[in-house]
Amino acid sequence: MADVAARFAGIVGVGNLLSGNEVGEDYAHDESLTCEPHKPAYVAKPGSAEEVAALLVAAAEHAVPVTARGSGSGLSGAARPREDGLLISFERMNAVLEIDTANQVAVVQPGVTLAQLDAETAVAGLAYTVYPGELSASVGGTVGTNAGGMRAVKYGVTRNNVVGLQAVLPTGEIIRTGGRTSKVATGYDLTQLIIGSEGTLALATEVIVKLYPRLPYGATLLAPFGDLDQVMQAVPPILASGLAPNILEYVDNLTMAAISYNEKLSLGVPDEVRDATQAYLVVGLENRDSDRLDGDVERAGELLSELGATDVYVLDGGSARKLIEAREKAFWTAKSVGADDVIDVVVPRSEMPAFLARVRELATAAEAGALGCGHAGDGNVHLGIFCKDPEKRYRLLRDIFADGMARGGAISGEHGIGQSRKQHFLELEDPAKVALMRRVKQAFDPTDILNPGVLFG
Amino acid sequence: MADVAARFAGIVGVGNLLSGNEVGEDYAHDESLTCEPHKPAYVAKPGSAEEVAALLVAAAEHAVPVTARGSGSGLSGAARPREDGLLISFERMNAVLEIDTANQVAVVQPGVTLAQLDAETAVAGLAYTVYPGELSASVGGTVGTNAGGMRAVKYGVTRNNVVGLQAVLPTGEIIRTGGRTSKVATGYDLTQLIIGSEGTLALATEVIVKLYPRLPYGATLLAPFGDLDQVMQAVPPILASGLAPNILEYVDNLTMAAISYNEKLSLGVPDEVRDATQAYLVVGLENRDSDRLDGDVERAGELLSELGATDVYVLDGGSARKLIEAREKAFWTAKSVGADDVIDVVVPRSEMPAFLARVRELATAAEAGALGCGHAGDGNVHLGIFCKDPEKRYRLLRDIFADGMARGGAISGEHGIGQSRKQHFLELEDPAKVALMRRVKQAFDPTDILNPGVLFG
Ligand SMILES: Cc1cc2nc3c(=O)[nH]c(=O)nc-3n(C[C@H](O)[C@H](O)[C@H](O)COP(=O)(O)OP(=O)(O)OC[C@H]3O[C@@H](n4cnc5c(N)ncnc54)[C@H](O)[C@@H]3O)c2cc1C
Ligand SMILES: Cc1cc2nc3c(=O)[nH]c(=O)nc-3n(C[C@H](O)[C@H](O)[C@H](O)COP(=O)(O)OP(=O)(O)OC[C@H]3O[C@@H](n4cnc5c(N)ncnc54)[C@H](O)[C@@H]3O)c2cc1C
């Protein structure tokens, strides 16, 4: 073991290799509520793609499993290392290498956080439009999970916004995929294959992301509905209207109460309206022109009323920001009130009413709770699950996942499978597809050193 | 051979299996200018995914190579069959199965043409926004090539617009990938991997495509420039403006003259302007609101003048349609005037001026011609190559491709590698990437029956 540590230290420098007791508790887990922490045997903090490549070659020779870590904010245990393993933390590779305004892309190292990228692109009047709830997340981690977030309804998820990678293969080769172009038809799309592969196929050491003009005018509307079904039914017409909302979230009444309380939110919704509300729709609009924005706000207000909203509140800047931040923190709220798990099934958006009704039935039958909010525009439902007994919870989740899949959805819309959903994934997914994915994994990683135990058994 | 034919006929029905002399000349080629026709031994026209699966199993047993064919409008020879092979033509699987307005998707069989899908979505006020120049192309074929086209500048290419597939693996298994949702984080993205794989990994038997609201108001601006460089330099600011053009094409003066002559176009550009023009920019704008469109047209006109356009013509509906159609037919024009090849290198759009300048130098040195037009907004340059000698042409193309790649681009933006670009691809591409792609191919197709000779040697 000392040998291996010395080998790793020789690659990244003694100061950038931790082992044994030097390894802090933070490296032992991500934010999954159900994966027990595992302290890794080694943590290496490489400074370059070449160092990452050398680490992978050394790890393969010594049969040490390797897990990549960005900021450890993932929710599926995909960044939880193995106890006998090497954790490669990208914290030192955190430079925004270039903001290329002519091609509207940024070239960044994987350890760059979304908050940092947001600040640096703002200076150029541009934006990277992937905003998951946790802006401490790293760009490399979002590539790993194919992160979504609130603005995906307009701009798409990570895979729609990453156009190129530099990546290190488990065999130690450094490749470049894609580029500063929005299209390529030259062989298989390795960029897309690596995105969302949860650190099992290759490690991203440079990421080229698409940027959009940062639109100067924005507004947020809050629409309470007396009925959860109605909220869900309102989603397709809003998307068909052409208003192109950049946020389209639903929050159920209990979740709204909890996040309002936790974040000391006051949204100006009168008590009697609040009491008669089953769920809220939050609609974000943006424009490069303030008159056009005003027109859109008016049209959206009318449309929401036609679709059954009890009322429509146009929030002022401060309240809007607070509401969005509180919504982003819904995970922490769920955790603080004792949720036993948080899941994020995705279904075709037309299926959301029936899916949520079925979830309520299943939860009631299991004497469990299932509350939440979600990216309504994407059919991506985030539910806090309250059910202490692990076996009962396993069965409840299986029934919920199976129902979502039967409706044409999937177990996860953006959090991933990682370690926490693996058993359900392997139980419910088409075996022919799983077998094919295993063969693809083998094509990249013949010795199975990259994140073994994630996705597959 | 009679055995094999009987086996195939047993699967699809005698009337849907052609062999020997029954095989028409049309099945022997696509539209590549350089791939000699190959009449396949068999043509099967399956009616279902199950029949496709049975064909693949039978083909594997008899070691008969299989090529899929949509409409045969591809430009890289990827649908050219093997002479000893089976061509699976999807012409009978041509139903639009569903236009799902709530989820804004259509579910279609692979043989549906883009023209047919355009007509059927129009009825619902929606549009499938992938419009390559040839609307007789099939949806399955566009999945095969990851087709782009003029509107990709706003809506992206095929991979950005296909959300799910039913696909038959070479092993005969039928899988479903993705779905009627815009995001999934549940295992590797097989949809994306199959898109653009030129019929070498799996055959699509059902395709779920994203639809957008069909915007009712549109305008087309034509801007002549005295200098090709200036045209190219105008592209980034137009895209940064937020005007979100749905068309942003350049056409060089000789190509404009040729297509105008061929298509009897008269665009109202005075002779003296035309004579002083090196290239034109064509800008399409669309909106759901006619006042907003007018505002955008005005702003775009100002911007084009600031960027150096000699003049700006807002074309009336008829002329605009004719110009766009003529531009779509640029390939036929190039062919009719004797182009020896047509290529479509993609480079970062900021590199277009330098790339085109270098192409001119290389062509001059080779005593060849290189003229064209292209999807300027995407950095995707379509060039008709005039150079009779095959060896000289091979070297010229190699130098052009290598230059494009050195600028961060790729051999093809949307036409693909197929058979016509394979030698250059294998010569110029990073061997580590090619080796990885071969392993991925192997993971899907262990007996190498799907389109052998396409992409790889
Ligand atoms: C409060 C809260 C709100 C959240 N909201 C959202 C949301 O709205 N939408 C959403 O999608 N997610 C959300 N998340 C989840 C999380 O932020 C995302 O999954 C994010 O992508 C994780 O980034 P990270 O840097 O923390 O990755 P990590 O947790 O460190 O790693 C995630 C995965 O990526 C892999 N990985 C890390 N770096 C690399 C690399 N360089 N190359 C290859 N693989 C790598 C890891 O091995 C692991 O498999 C939320 C999390 C929290 C705590
Ligand atoms: C005049 C003209 C203009 C053009 N303009 C453009 C343009 O602007 N942009 C652009 O991108 N292309 C353009 N093209 C090229 C062509 O239209 C596209 O490549 C189109 O995608 C081909 O569709 P197809 O049905 O004709 O496919 P085919 O040529 O029949 O096949 C193309 C590839 O797809 C595979 N394939 C076919 N069906 C399936 C299936 N069901 N499952 C899996 N693989 C399958 C084939 O094996 C082959 O590899 C143009 C072509 C012409 C002739």
Side-chain angles (χ1 to χ4, degrees), chain A residues 103-104 159 176 183 185-186 188-189 200 240 242 288 292 296 349-350 378 380 412 414 416 433 439 443, chain B residues 103-104 159 176 183 185-186 188-189 200 240 242 288 292 296 349-350 378 380 412 414 416 433 439 443:
Chain A
N103 295 305
Q104 281 187 203
R159 80 167 61 261
R176 288 196 173 269
K183 58 166 34 157
T186 304
Y188 305 146
D189 195 323
T200 65
R288 65 189 160 85
R292 288 188 182 191
D296 286 354
R349 53 193 187 236
S350 66
D378 300 336
N380 192 193
S412 171
E414 53 182 31
K433 270 169 73 176
R439 296 198 300 272
Chain B
N103 295 305
Q104 280 186 203
R159 79 168 62 260
R176 286 195 174 269
K183 55 155 52 145
T186 304
Y188 306 145
D189 197 321
T200 64
R288 65 190 160 85
R292 289 189 182 190
D296 286 354
R349 54 193 187 237
S350 66
D378 300 337
N380 192 192
S412 170
E414 54 183 30
K433 272 169 73 176
R439 296 198 300 272

Side-chain angles (χ1 to χ4, degrees), chain A residues 30-31 67-75 78-79 90 110 132-134 137-138 140-142 144-145 147-149 198-199 202-204 328 331-332 375 382 414-415 451:
Chain A
D30 65 4
E31 296 298 343
T67 297
R69 177 190 167 97
S71 302
S73 74
L75 296 173
F90 283 101
E134 184 61 51
S138 73
T142 57
T145 64
E198 306 192 71
L203 302 189
E328 283 173 344
F331 169 76
W332 301 119
H375 306 312
H382 292 219
E414 53 182 31
H415 296 162
N451 238 359

Side-chain angles (χ1 to χ4, degrees), chain B residues 54-191:
Chain B
L55 286 170
L56 288 182
V57 170
E61 274 175 37
H62 294 276
V64 175
V66 178
T67 296
R69 178 190 166 96
S71 302
S73 74
L75 296 174
S76 73
R80 178 181 65 170
R82 294 259 298 232
E83 284 172 327
D84 56 346
L86 166 67
L87 185 73
I88 296 187
S89 170
F90 284 101
E91 63 203 86
R92 286 177 61 229
M93 292 177 69
N94 64 352
V96 174
L97 300 174
E98 191 183 343
I99 308 252
D100 171 349
T101 54
N103 295 305
Q104 280 186 203
V105 298
V107 184
V108 309
Q109 290 188 313
V112 166
T113 66
L114 294 176
Q116 183 187 347
L117 186 54
D118 194 53
E120 297 205 25
T121 52
V123 178
L126 295 168
Y128 179 54
T129 53
V130 174
Y131 288 88
E134 185 59 53
L135 292 189
S136 72
S138 73
V139 173
T142 57
V143 166
T145 63
N146 186 26
M150 290 200 211
R151 316 217 188 166
V153 65
K154 178 170 178 187
Y155 293 101
V157 297
T158 302
R159 79 168 62 260
N160 309 117
N161 289 287
V162 168
V163 289
L165 295 175
Q166 183 195 58
V168 180
L169 302 181
T171 43
E173 291 146 313
I174 302 173
I175 61 170
R176 286 195 174 269
T177 69
R180 299 181 193 203
T181 60
S182 52
K183 55 155 52 145
V184 187
T186 304
Y188 306 145
D189 197 321
L190 300 172
T191 313

Side-chain angles (χ1 to χ4, degrees), chain B residues 212-355:
Chain B
Y212 283 88
R214 193 174 282 255
L215 302 182
Y217 304 102
T220 306
L221 285 73
L222 178 68
F225 282 77
D227 180 70
L228 184 57
D229 259 28
Q230 257 183 339
V231 169
M232 297 301 154
Q233 277 149 8
V235 169
I238 292 170
L239 290 172
S241 70
L243 287 165
N246 66 334
I247 293 178
L248 189 51
E249 297 285 312
Y250 92 91
V251 185
D252 69 23
N253 55 349
L254 276 174
T255 304
M256 185 63 98
I259 66 176
S260 301
Y261 178 83
N262 258 33
E263 302 296 324
K264 302 186 183 52
L265 263 188
S266 134
L267 297 166
V269 179
D271 287 358
E272 64 279 14
V273 174
R274 209 184 49 209
D275 293 345
T277 295
Q278 253 193 23
Y280 297 80
L281 209 54
V282 182
V283 182
L285 295 171
E286 54 172 8
N287 213 296
R288 65 190 160 85
D289 178 295
S290 74
D291 289 344
R292 289 189 182 190
L293 180 68
D294 291 346
D296 286 354
V297 168
E298 200 175 315
R299 178 74 199 100
E302 288 162 12
L303 189 58
L304 286 162
S305 300
E306 287 162 26
L307 294 167
T310 329
D311 207 338
V312 179
Y313 305 90
V314 181
L315 302 183
D316 68 56
S319 311
R321 209 166 27 250
K322 273 198 186 154
L323 171 62
I324 299 299
E325 281 171 15
R327 160 63 190 92
E328 283 172 345
K329 291 186 183 143
F331 168 77
W332 302 120
T333 304
K335 186 174 172 175
S336 73
V337 298
D340 299 293
D341 206 343
V342 169
I343 61 174
D344 85 310
V345 175
V346 62
V347 293
R349 54 193 187 237
S350 66
E351 293 288 333
M352 279 193 291
F355 173 69

Side-chain angles (χ1 to χ4, degrees), chain A residues 348-417:
Chain A
R349 53 193 187 236
S350 66
E351 293 289 332
M352 277 193 290
F355 173 69
L356 281 175
R358 183 71 188 136
V359 166
R360 265 193 310 252
E361 282 172 24
L362 290 168
T364 306
E367 296 172 318
L371 296 175
C373 50
H375 306 312
D378 300 336
N380 192 193
V381 178
H382 292 219
L383 292 168
I385 302 292
F386 299 79
C387 177
K388 290 275 161 269
D389 180 65
E391 277 174 38
K392 229 169 154 182
R393 196 167 70 233
Y394 184 86
R395 285 195 303 274
L396 172 61
L397 290 192
R398 186 196 52 210
D399 294 345
I400 292 176
F401 293 151
D403 184 73
M405 290 172 74
R407 295 177 195 283
I411 293 174
S412 171
E414 53 182 31
H415 296 162
I417 297 299

